[in-house]
Coordinates of all heavy atoms in Angstrom, one line a residue:
M277 N 154.6 116.2 174.7 CA 153.2 115.8 174.6 C 153.0 115.5 173.1 O 153.3 116.3 172.2 CB 152.3 116.9 175.1 CG 150.9 116.5 174.8 SD 149.6 117.7 175.0 CE 149.8 118.6 176.4
R278 N 152.3 114.4 172.8 CA 152.0 114.0 171.4 C 150.6 114.5 171.1 O 149.7 114.5 171.9 CB 152.0 112.5 171.3 CG 153.4 111.9 171.1 CD 153.3 110.6 170.6 NE 152.8 110.6 169.2 CZ 152.7 109.5 168.4 NH1 153.0 108.4 168.9 NH2 152.3 109.6 167.2
Y279 N 150.5 114.9 169.8 CA 149.2 115.4 169.4 C 148.7 114.3 168.4 O 149.4 113.7 167.7 CB 149.3 116.7 168.7 CG 149.7 117.8 169.6 CD1 151.1 118.1 169.8 CD2 148.8 118.5 170.3 CE1 151.5 119.1 170.6 CE2 149.2 119.5 171.2 CZ 150.5 119.8 171.4 OH 150.9 120.8 172.2
R280 N 147.3 114.3 168.3 CA 146.7 113.4 167.3 C 147.0 113.8 165.9 O 147.0 115.0 165.6 CB 145.2 113.3 167.5 CG 144.8 112.5 168.7 CD 143.3 112.4 168.8 NE 142.7 112.1 167.5 CZ 141.4 112.1 167.4 NH1 140.6 112.4 168.3 NH2 140.9 111.7 166.2
A281 N 147.3 112.9 165.0 CA 147.6 113.2 163.6 C 146.3 113.8 163.0 O 145.2 113.3 163.3 CB 148.0 112.0 162.9
R282 N 146.5 114.8 162.2 CA 145.3 115.4 161.5 C 145.0 114.5 160.4 O 145.8 114.0 159.7 CB 145.7 116.8 161.0 CG 145.5 117.8 162.1 CD 145.5 119.2 161.6 NE 146.9 119.7 161.5 CZ 147.3 120.8 161.0 NH1 146.4 121.6 160.4 NH2 148.6 121.1 160.9
R283 N 143.7 114.3 160.2 CA 143.2 113.5 159.1 C 142.7 114.4 158.0 O 142.2 115.5 158.3 CB 142.1 112.6 159.6 CG 142.4 111.7 160.8 CD 143.7 111.0 160.8 NE 143.7 109.9 160.0 CZ 144.7 109.0 160.0 NH1 145.7 109.1 160.8 NH2 144.7 108.0 159.1
D284 N 142.8 114.0 156.8 CA 142.2 114.8 155.6 C 140.7 114.7 155.6 O 140.1 113.7 156.0 CB 142.8 114.2 154.3 CG 144.3 114.4 154.2 OD1 144.7 115.6 153.9 OD2 145.1 113.5 154.5
A285 N 140.1 115.8 155.2 CA 138.6 115.9 155.2 C 138.0 114.9 154.3 O 136.8 114.5 154.6 CB 138.2 117.3 154.8
N286 N 138.7 114.4 153.3 CA 138.1 113.4 152.4 C 138.3 112.0 152.8 O 137.7 111.1 152.2 CB 138.6 113.6 151.0 CG 140.1 113.6 150.9 OD1 140.8 113.7 151.9 ND2 140.7 113.4 149.7
E287 N 139.0 111.8 153.9 CA 139.3 110.4 154.4 C 138.0 109.7 154.7 O 137.9 108.5 154.4 CB 140.2 110.5 155.6 CG 140.6 109.1 156.0 CD 141.7 109.1 157.1 OE1 142.7 109.8 156.9 OE2 141.5 108.3 158.0
P288 N 137.0 110.2 155.4 CA 135.8 109.5 155.7 C 135.1 108.9 154.5 O 134.6 107.7 154.5 CB 134.9 110.5 156.5 CG 135.9 111.4 157.1 CD 137.0 111.6 156.1
A289 N 135.0 109.6 153.4 CA 134.3 109.1 152.2 C 135.2 108.0 151.6 O 134.6 107.0 151.1 CB 134.2 110.3 151.2
I290 N 136.5 108.1 151.6 CA 137.3 107.1 151.1 C 137.3 105.8 151.9 O 137.1 104.7 151.4 CB 138.8 107.6 150.9 CG1 138.9 108.6 149.8 CG2 139.8 106.5 150.7 CD1 140.2 109.4 149.7
V291 N 137.3 106.0 153.2 CA 137.1 104.8 154.1 C 135.8 104.2 154.0 O 135.7 102.9 153.9 CB 137.4 105.3 155.6 CG1 136.9 104.2 156.6 CG2 138.8 105.6 155.8
A292 N 134.7 104.9 153.8 CA 133.4 104.4 153.6 C 133.3 103.6 152.3 O 132.7 102.5 152.2 CB 132.3 105.5 153.6
T293 N 134.1 104.0 151.3 CA 134.1 103.3 150.0 C 134.9 102.0 150.2 O 134.4 100.9 149.7 CB 134.8 104.2 149.0 OG1 134.1 105.4 148.8 CG2 135.0 103.4 147.6
L294 N 136.0 102.0 150.9 CA 136.7 100.8 151.2 C 135.8 99.8 152.0 O 135.8 98.6 151.6 CB 138.0 101.1 152.0 CG 139.1 101.9 151.3 CD1 140.2 102.2 152.2 CD2 139.6 101.1 150.0
E295 N 135.1 100.3 153.0 CA 134.2 99.4 153.7 C 133.1 98.8 152.8 O 132.8 97.6 152.9 CB 133.6 100.2 154.9 CG 134.6 100.5 156.0 CD 134.1 101.4 157.1 OE1 133.0 102.0 156.9 OE2 134.7 101.5 158.1
A296 N 132.5 99.6 152.0 CA 131.5 99.1 151.1 C 132.0 98.1 150.1 O 131.3 97.2 149.7 CB 130.9 100.3 150.3
L297 N 133.3 98.2 149.7 CA 133.9 97.2 148.8 C 134.5 96.0 149.6 O 135.0 95.1 148.9 CB 135.0 97.9 148.0 CG 134.5 99.0 147.0 CD1 135.7 99.7 146.5 CD2 133.7 98.3 145.9
G298 N 134.4 96.0 150.9 CA 134.9 94.9 151.7 C 136.5 94.8 151.7 O 137.0 93.8 152.0
I299 N 137.1 96.0 151.6 CA 138.6 96.0 151.6 C 139.0 96.4 153.0 O 138.7 97.4 153.6 CB 139.1 97.1 150.6 CG1 138.7 96.6 149.2 CG2 140.6 97.3 150.8 CD1 139.1 97.6 148.1
P300 N 139.8 95.4 153.6 CA 140.3 95.7 155.0 C 141.3 96.9 155.0 O 142.1 97.0 154.1 CB 141.0 94.4 155.4 CG 141.2 93.6 154.2 CD 140.3 94.2 153.1
Y301 N 141.2 97.7 156.0 CA 142.1 98.8 156.2 C 142.4 99.1 157.6 O 141.7 98.6 158.5 CB 141.5 100.1 155.5 CG 140.3 100.6 156.3 CD1 140.5 101.5 157.3 CD2 139.1 100.1 156.2 CE1 139.5 102.0 158.1 CE2 138.0 100.5 156.9 CZ 138.2 101.5 157.9 OH 137.2 101.9 158.7
R302 N 143.4 99.8 157.9 CA 143.6 100.4 159.2 C 144.3 101.7 159.0 O 145.1 101.9 158.1 CB 144.4 99.5 160.1 CG 145.8 99.2 159.7 CD 146.5 98.3 160.7 NE 147.8 98.0 160.3 CZ 148.7 97.3 161.0 NH1 148.3 96.9 162.2 NH2 149.9 97.1 160.6
R303 N 144.1 102.6 159.9 CA 144.7 104.0 159.9 C 146.1 103.9 160.4 O 146.4 103.2 161.3 CB 143.9 104.9 160.7 CG 142.6 105.3 160.1 CD 141.8 106.3 160.9 NE 140.6 106.8 160.1 CZ 139.4 106.2 160.0 NH1 139.3 105.0 160.7 NH2 138.5 106.7 159.3
V304 N 147.0 104.6 159.7 CA 148.4 104.6 160.1 C 148.7 106.0 160.6 O 148.2 107.0 160.1 CB 149.3 104.3 158.8 CG1 150.8 104.4 159.2 CG2 148.9 103.0 158.3
S305 N 149.5 106.1 161.7 CA 149.8 107.4 162.2 C 151.3 107.6 162.3 O 151.8 108.1 163.3 CB 149.2 107.5 163.6 OG 147.8 107.6 163.6
C306 N 151.9 107.3 161.2 CA 153.4 107.6 161.0 C 153.5 108.6 159.8 O 153.1 108.2 158.7 CB 154.1 106.3 160.7 SG 155.9 106.6 160.5
P307 N 154.0 109.8 160.1 CA 154.0 110.8 159.1 C 154.6 110.4 157.7 O 154.0 110.8 156.7 CB 154.9 111.9 159.7 CG 154.8 111.7 161.1 CD 154.6 110.2 161.3
A308 N 155.6 109.6 157.6 CA 156.2 109.2 156.3 C 155.5 108.1 155.6 O 155.6 107.9 154.4 CB 157.6 108.9 156.5
L309 N 154.7 107.3 156.3 CA 154.2 106.0 155.7 C 152.8 106.2 155.0 O 152.5 105.3 154.3 CB 154.1 104.9 156.8 CG 155.4 104.5 157.3 CD1 155.2 103.3 158.3 CD2 156.3 104.0 156.2
G310 N 152.1 107.2 155.3 CA 150.8 107.3 154.6 C 149.7 107.4 155.6 O 149.9 107.5 156.9
D311 N 148.5 107.3 155.2 CA 147.3 107.5 156.0 C 146.6 106.1 156.3 O 146.0 106.0 157.4 CB 146.3 108.4 155.4 CG 146.9 109.8 155.3 OD1 147.3 110.4 156.4 OD2 146.9 110.4 154.2
L312 N 146.6 105.2 155.3 CA 145.9 104.0 155.5 C 146.8 102.8 155.0 O 147.6 103.0 154.1 CB 144.7 103.9 154.6 CG 143.6 104.9 154.9 CD1 142.5 104.8 153.9 CD2 143.0 104.8 156.3
E313 N 146.7 101.7 155.7 CA 147.3 100.5 155.2 C 146.1 99.6 154.8 O 145.1 99.4 155.5 CB 148.0 99.7 156.3 CG 148.7 98.4 155.8 CD 149.5 97.7 156.8 OE1 149.2 97.9 158.0 OE2 150.4 97.0 156.4
I314 N 146.1 99.1 153.5 CA 145.0 98.3 153.0 C 145.5 97.0 152.6 O 146.7 96.9 152.3 CB 144.2 99.0 151.9 CG1 145.1 99.2 150.7 CG2 143.6 100.3 152.4 CD1 144.4 99.7 149.4
V315 N 144.7 96.0 152.4 CA 145.0 94.7 151.8 C 144.1 94.4 150.7 O 142.9 94.4 150.8 CB 144.9 93.6 152.9 CG1 145.3 92.3 152.3 CG2 145.9 93.9 154.1
V316 N 144.7 94.2 149.5 CA 144.0 93.9 148.3 C 144.6 92.7 147.7 O 145.8 92.6 147.4 CB 144.0 95.1 147.3 CG1 143.3 94.8 146.0 CG2 143.4 96.3 147.9
R317 N 143.7 91.7 147.4 CA 144.2 90.4 146.8 C 145.4 89.8 147.5 O 146.4 89.4 146.9 CB 144.4 90.6 145.3 CG 143.1 90.9 144.6 CD 143.3 91.1 143.1 NE 143.8 92.3 142.6 CZ 143.1 93.5 142.5 NH1 141.8 93.5 142.9 NH2 143.6 94.6 142.1
G318 N 145.4 89.9 148.9 CA 146.4 89.3 149.7 C 147.7 90.1 149.8 O 148.7 89.7 150.4
A319 N 147.7 91.3 149.2 CA 149.0 92.2 149.3 C 148.7 93.5 150.1 O 147.6 94.1 149.9 CB 149.4 92.5 147.9
P320 N 149.6 93.9 150.9 CA 149.4 95.1 151.7 C 149.9 96.3 150.9 O 150.9 96.2 150.1 CB 150.3 94.9 152.9 CG 151.4 94.0 152.4 CD 150.8 93.1 151.3
Y321 N 149.2 97.4 151.1 CA 149.6 98.7 150.4 C 149.5 99.8 151.4 O 148.6 99.8 152.2 CB 148.7 99.0 149.2 CG 148.7 98.0 148.1 CD1 147.8 96.9 148.2 CD2 149.6 98.0 147.1 CE1 147.9 95.9 147.2 CE2 149.7 97.1 146.1 CZ 148.8 96.0 146.2 OH 148.9 95.0 145.2
L322 N 150.4 100.8 151.3 CA 150.3 102.0 152.1 C 149.7 103.1 151.2 O 150.3 103.4 150.2 CB 151.6 102.4 152.7 CG 152.1 101.4 153.8 CD1 153.5 101.7 154.2 CD2 151.2 101.6 155.1
V323 N 148.6 103.7 151.6 CA 147.9 104.7 150.8 C 148.1 106.1 151.5 O 147.8 106.2 152.7 CB 146.4 104.4 150.7 CG1 145.7 105.4 149.9 CG2 146.3 103.0 150.0
E324 N 148.4 107.1 150.7 CA 148.4 108.4 151.2 C 147.1 109.1 150.7 O 146.8 109.0 149.5 CB 149.6 109.2 150.6 CG 149.7 110.6 151.0 CD 149.8 110.8 152.5 OE1 150.5 110.1 153.2 OE2 149.1 111.8 152.9
I325 N 146.4 109.8 151.6 CA 145.2 110.5 151.2 C 145.6 112.0 151.3 O 146.1 112.5 152.3 CB 144.1 110.2 152.2 CG1 143.7 108.7 152.0 CG2 142.9 111.1 151.9 CD1 142.6 108.2 153.0
K326 N 145.3 112.7 150.2 CA 145.5 114.1 150.1 C 144.2 114.8 149.8 O 143.4 114.4 148.9 CB 146.5 114.5 149.1 CG 147.9 114.1 149.4 CD 148.4 114.9 150.6 CE 149.9 114.6 151.0 NZ 150.2 115.2 152.2
D327 N 143.9 115.8 150.5 CA 142.7 116.6 150.4 C 143.0 117.8 149.4 O 143.9 118.6 149.7 CB 142.2 117.1 151.7 CG 140.9 117.7 151.7 OD1 140.1 117.5 150.7 OD2 140.5 118.5 152.6
G328 N 142.3 117.8 148.3 CA 142.5 118.9 147.4 C 143.8 119.0 146.8 O 144.4 118.0 146.3
S329 N 144.5 120.1 146.9 CA 145.8 120.3 146.2 C 146.9 120.3 147.2 O 148.0 120.7 146.9 CB 145.8 121.6 145.5 OG 145.6 122.7 146.4
K330 N 146.7 119.7 148.4 CA 147.8 119.6 149.4 C 148.9 118.8 148.8 O 148.7 117.9 148.1 CB 147.3 118.9 150.7 CG 146.4 119.8 151.5 CD 146.0 119.0 152.8 CE 145.0 119.8 153.6 NZ 144.6 119.1 154.8
S331 N 150.1 119.2 149.2 CA 151.3 118.5 148.7 C 151.9 117.6 149.8 O 151.4 117.6 150.9 CB 152.4 119.6 148.2 OG 152.7 120.4 149.3
Y332 N 152.9 116.8 149.4 CA 153.5 115.9 150.3 C 154.4 116.7 151.3 O 154.9 117.7 151.0 CB 154.4 114.9 149.6 CG 153.7 114.0 148.6 CD1 153.9 114.2 147.2 CD2 152.8 113.1 149.0 CE1 153.2 113.4 146.3 CE2 152.1 112.2 148.2 CZ 152.3 112.4 146.8 OH 151.7 111.6 145.9
T333 N 154.5 116.1 152.5 CA 155.4 116.6 153.5 C 156.8 116.2 153.1 O 157.0 115.4 152.2 CB 155.1 116.1 154.9 OG1 155.4 114.7 154.9 CG2 153.7 116.3 155.3
A334 N 157.8 116.8 153.7 CA 159.2 116.5 153.4 C 159.5 115.0 153.6 O 160.1 114.3 152.8 CB 160.2 117.3 154.3
A335 N 158.9 114.4 154.7 CA 159.1 113.0 155.0 C 158.5 112.1 154.0 O 159.0 111.1 153.6 CB 158.6 112.7 156.4
Q336 N 157.3 112.5 153.5 CA 156.6 111.8 152.5 C 157.4 111.8 151.2 O 157.5 110.8 150.5 CB 155.2 112.3 152.3 CG 154.3 112.0 153.5 CD 153.0 112.8 153.4 OE1 152.9 113.8 152.8 NE2 152.0 112.3 154.2
R337 N 157.9 113.0 150.8 CA 158.6 113.2 149.6 C 159.9 112.3 149.6 O 160.2 111.6 148.7 CB 159.0 114.6 149.3 CG 157.9 115.4 148.7 CD 158.4 116.8 148.2 NE 159.1 117.6 149.2 CZ 158.5 118.3 150.1 NH1 157.2 118.4 150.1 NH2 159.2 119.0 151.0
E338 N 160.6 112.3 150.8 CA 161.8 111.5 150.9 C 161.5 110.0 150.8 O 162.2 109.3 150.1 CB 162.4 111.8 152.3 CG 163.7 111.0 152.5 CD 164.3 111.3 153.9 OE1 164.1 112.3 154.5 OE2 165.0 110.4 154.4
R339 N 160.4 109.5 151.4 CA 160.1 108.1 151.3 C 159.7 107.8 149.8 O 160.2 106.8 149.3 CB 158.9 107.8 152.2 CG 158.4 106.4 152.0 CD 157.2 106.0 152.9 NE 156.7 104.7 152.7 CZ 155.8 104.5 151.8 NH1 155.1 105.4 151.2 NH2 155.4 103.2 151.6
R340 N 158.9 108.6 149.2 CA 158.5 108.3 147.8 C 159.7 108.3 146.9 O 159.9 107.5 146.0 CB 157.5 109.3 147.3 CG 156.1 109.1 148.1 CD 155.1 110.1 147.7 NE 154.6 109.8 146.4 CZ 153.7 108.8 146.1 NH1 153.3 108.1 147.1 NH2 153.3 108.7 144.9
E341 N 160.7 109.3 147.1 CA 161.9 109.3 146.3 C 162.7 108.1 146.5 O 163.3 107.5 145.5 CB 162.7 110.6 146.6 CG 162.1 111.8 146.1 CD 162.7 113.1 146.6 OE1 163.7 113.0 147.4 OE2 162.2 114.2 146.3
W342 N 162.8 107.6 147.7 CA 163.6 106.4 148.1 C 163.0 105.2 147.4 O 163.7 104.4 146.8 CB 163.6 106.2 149.6 CG 164.5 105.1 150.0 CD1 165.8 105.0 150.1 CD2 164.0 103.8 150.3 NE1 166.2 103.7 150.5 CE2 165.1 103.0 150.7 CE3 162.7 103.2 150.4 CZ2 165.0 101.6 151.1 CZ3 162.6 101.9 150.8 CH2 163.7 101.1 151.1
L343 N 161.7 105.1 147.5 CA 161.0 103.9 146.8 C 161.2 104.0 145.3 O 161.5 103.0 144.7 CB 159.5 104.0 147.1 CG 159.1 103.6 148.6 CD1 157.6 103.9 148.8 CD2 159.4 102.2 148.9
A344 N 161.0 105.2 144.7 CA 161.1 105.3 143.3 C 162.6 104.9 142.8 O 162.7 104.3 141.8 CB 160.7 106.7 142.8
C345 N 163.6 105.4 143.5 CA 164.9 105.1 143.1 C 165.3 103.6 143.2 O 166.3 103.2 142.6 CB 165.9 106.0 143.8 SG 166.4 105.5 145.4
H346 N 164.5 102.9 143.9 CA 164.7 101.4 144.0 C 163.7 100.7 143.1 O 163.4 99.5 143.3 CB 164.6 100.9 145.4 CG 165.7 101.4 146.3 ND1 167.0 100.9 146.2 CD2 165.8 102.4 147.2 CE1 167.8 101.5 147.0 NE2 167.1 102.5 147.6
G347 N 163.1 101.4 142.2 CA 162.2 100.7 141.2 C 160.8 100.5 141.5 O 160.1 99.8 140.8
V348 N 160.3 101.0 142.6 CA 158.9 100.8 143.1 C 158.0 101.6 142.2 O 158.2 102.9 142.1 CB 158.8 101.1 144.6 CG1 157.3 101.0 145.0 CG2 159.6 100.2 145.4
N349 N 157.0 101.0 141.7 CA 156.0 101.7 140.9 C 155.0 102.4 142.0 O 154.2 101.7 142.6 CB 155.2 100.8 140.0 CG 154.1 101.4 139.3 OD1 153.5 102.4 139.7 ND2 153.7 100.8 138.2
L350 N 155.2 103.7 142.1 CA 154.5 104.4 143.2 C 153.0 104.4 143.0 O 152.2 104.3 143.9 CB 155.0 105.8 143.3 CG 156.4 105.9 143.8 CD1 156.8 107.4 143.8 CD2 156.6 105.3 145.2
T351 N 152.5 104.5 141.7 CA 151.1 104.5 141.4 C 150.5 103.2 141.9 O 149.3 103.2 142.4 CB 150.9 104.7 139.9 OG1 151.5 105.9 139.5 CG2 149.4 104.7 139.6
E352 N 151.2 102.1 141.7 CA 150.7 100.8 142.1 C 150.8 100.5 143.5 O 149.9 100.0 144.2 CB 151.3 99.7 141.2 CG 150.8 98.3 141.5 CD 151.5 97.3 140.6 OE1 152.0 97.6 139.6 OE2 151.4 96.1 141.0
H353 N 152.0 100.7 144.1 CA 152.4 100.2 145.4 C 152.3 101.2 146.5 O 152.3 100.9 147.7 CB 153.8 99.6 145.4 CG 153.8 98.4 144.6 ND1 153.3 97.2 144.9 CD2 154.4 98.1 143.4 CE1 153.5 96.3 144.0 NE2 154.1 96.8 143.0
A354 N 152.2 102.5 146.2 CA 152.1 103.6 147.2 C 151.2 104.7 146.6 O 151.7 105.8 146.4 CB 153.5 104.1 147.5
P355 N 150.0 104.3 146.4 CA 149.1 105.3 145.7 C 148.7 106.5 146.6 O 148.7 106.4 147.8 CB 147.8 104.5 145.4 CG 147.8 103.4 146.5 CD 149.3 103.1 146.7
T356 N 148.4 107.6 145.9 CA 147.9 108.8 146.6 C 146.5 108.9 146.1 O 146.2 109.0 144.9 CB 148.7 110.0 146.3 OG1 150.0 109.8 146.8 CG2 148.1 111.2 146.9
W357 N 145.5 109.0 147.0 CA 144.1 109.2 146.6 C 143.6 110.5 147.1 O 143.8 110.9 148.2 CB 143.2 108.1 147.2 CG 143.5 106.7 146.7 CD1 144.2 106.4 145.6 CD2 143.2 105.5 147.4 NE1 144.2 105.0 145.5 CE2 143.7 104.4 146.5 CE3 142.6 105.2 148.6 CZ2 143.5 103.1 146.9 CZ3 142.4 103.8 148.9 CH2 142.9 102.8 148.1
R358 N 143.0 111.3 146.2 CA 142.4 112.6 146.5 C 140.9 112.5 146.5 O 140.2 113.5 146.9 CB 142.9 113.6 145.5 CG 144.4 113.9 145.6 CD 144.9 114.9 144.7 NE 146.4 115.1 144.8 CZ 147.0 115.8 145.7 NH1 146.3 116.4 146.6 NH2 148.3 115.9 145.8
S359 N 140.3 111.4 146.0 CA 138.9 111.3 145.9 C 138.4 109.8 145.9 O 139.3 108.9 145.7 CB 138.4 112.0 144.6 OG 138.9 111.2 143.5
V360 N 137.1 109.6 146.0 CA 136.6 108.3 145.9 C 136.8 107.7 144.5 O 137.1 106.5 144.4 CB 135.1 108.3 146.3 CG1 134.4 107.0 145.9 CG2 134.9 108.6 147.8
E361 N 136.8 108.6 143.5 CA 137.0 108.1 142.2 C 138.4 107.5 142.0 O 138.6 106.6 141.3 CB 136.8 109.3 141.2 CG 135.4 109.7 141.0 CD 134.8 110.5 142.2 OE1 135.6 111.1 142.9 OE2 133.6 110.5 142.3
D362 N 139.4 108.1 142.7 CA 140.8 107.6 142.7 C 140.8 106.2 143.2 O 141.6 105.3 142.7 CB 141.7 108.5 143.5 CG 142.0 109.8 142.9 OD1 141.7 110.0 141.7 OD2 142.6 110.7 143.6
V363 N 140.0 105.9 144.2 CA 139.9 104.5 144.8 C 139.5 103.5 143.7 O 140.1 102.5 143.4 CB 139.0 104.4 146.0 CG1 138.9 103.0 146.5 CG2 139.4 105.4 147.1
F364 N 138.4 103.9 143.0 CA 137.8 103.0 142.0 C 138.8 102.9 140.8 O 139.0 101.8 140.3 CB 136.5 103.5 141.5 CG 135.4 103.3 142.4 CD1 134.9 104.3 143.2 CD2 134.8 102.0 142.6 CE1 133.8 104.1 144.1 CE2 133.8 101.8 143.5 CZ 133.3 102.8 144.2
D365 N 139.5 104.0 140.4 CA 140.4 103.9 139.3 C 141.6 103.0 139.7 O 142.0 102.2 138.9 CB 141.0 105.3 139.0 CG 140.0 106.2 138.3 OD1 138.9 105.7 137.9 OD2 140.2 107.4 138.3
W366 N 142.1 103.1 140.9 CA 143.3 102.3 141.4 C 142.9 100.8 141.4 O 143.7 100.0 141.0 CB 143.8 102.8 142.7 CG 145.0 102.1 143.2 CD1 146.3 102.4 142.8 CD2 145.1 101.0 144.1 NE1 147.2 101.6 143.5 CE2 146.5 100.7 144.2 CE3 144.1 100.3 144.8 CZ2 146.9 99.7 145.1 CZ3 144.6 99.3 145.6 CH2 146.0 99.0 145.7
L367 N 141.7 100.5 141.9 CA 141.3 99.2 142.0 C 140.9 98.6 140.6 O 140.8 97.4 140.4 CB 140.0 99.0 142.9 CG 140.3 99.3 144.4 CD1 139.0 99.4 145.1 CD2 141.2 98.2 144.9
G368 N 140.6 99.5 139.6 CA 140.2 99.0 138.3 C 138.8 98.5 138.3 O 138.5 97.6 137.5
V369 N 138.0 99.0 139.1 CA 136.5 98.6 139.1 C 135.7 99.8 138.8 O 136.0 101.0 139.0 CB 136.1 98.0 140.5 CG1 136.9 96.8 140.8 CG2 136.3 99.0 141.6
A370 N 134.5 99.5 138.2 CA 133.5 100.5 137.9 C 132.8 101.0 139.1 O 132.6 100.2 140.1 CB 132.5 100.0 136.9
K371 N 132.5 102.2 139.1 CA 131.8 102.8 140.3 C 130.4 102.4 140.4 O 129.7 102.3 139.4 CB 131.9 104.4 140.2 CG 131.5 105.1 141.4 CD 131.8 106.6 141.3 CE 131.3 107.3 142.5 NZ 131.4 108.7 142.3

C-alpha cells in the first residue's frame, strides 16, 4: 500500500508566494527529486522544501552529490528553500 508523501509545514506559504508571483509549479512526489517543479524564464527547476532544520534524506543527498560531481550549481539549478525569503532571494527580486 502506498502512502501519501508528507509535505513540509512551510510549503503552503512558499506555494502561495509562487502563485502571487505568477510562477508555474507542480508538486512532485518522488523522494529523490524534490518537492516542487517550477518554471522560471522558460527553464524547469526542481525545488526541495525543508522545514526548519530538517536534513536531506539519503536519496536526496545521493542525487545532490551526483549533480554536484557533474558540475551542476545546486544553488541555482536544485535550490532548497526553507522560507518565503529564500524564494525571493533565489529569484533575485525584492519582497
Side-chain angles (χ1 to χ4, degrees):
M277 176 193 313
R278 282 196 66 177
Y279 295 92
R280 282 182 51 186
R282 280 194 270 176
R283 309 310 288 190
D284 292 281
N286 54 345
E287 186 173 313
I290 289 172
V291 166
T293 300
L294 295 173
E295 290 174 345
L297 294 170
I299 295 174
Y301 71 91
R302 66 180 177 169
R303 288 180 170 85
V304 178
S305 294
C306 180
L309 294 182
D311 296 306
L312 299 176
E313 181 177 28
I314 64 170
V315 178
V316 177
R317 294 181 278 285
Y321 299 90
L322 289 167
V323 177
E324 178 61 38
I325 297 175
K326 287 292 182 192
D327 190 19
S329 62
K330 287 184 182 176
S331 60
Y332 297 111
T333 66
Q336 291 166 338
R337 279 192 305 277
E338 181 181 333
R339 176 180 175 267
R340 294 179 71 77
E341 288 168 5
W342 183 81
L343 290 170
C345 80
H346 291 288
V348 174
N349 177 333
L350 296 175
T351 303
E352 182 178 342
H353 295 287
T356 297
W357 295 339
R358 295 183 183 277
S359 67
V360 168
E361 289 75 22
D362 288 347
V363 177
F364 286 104
D365 289 346
W366 186 82
L367 291 169
V369 298
K371 189 173 178 183

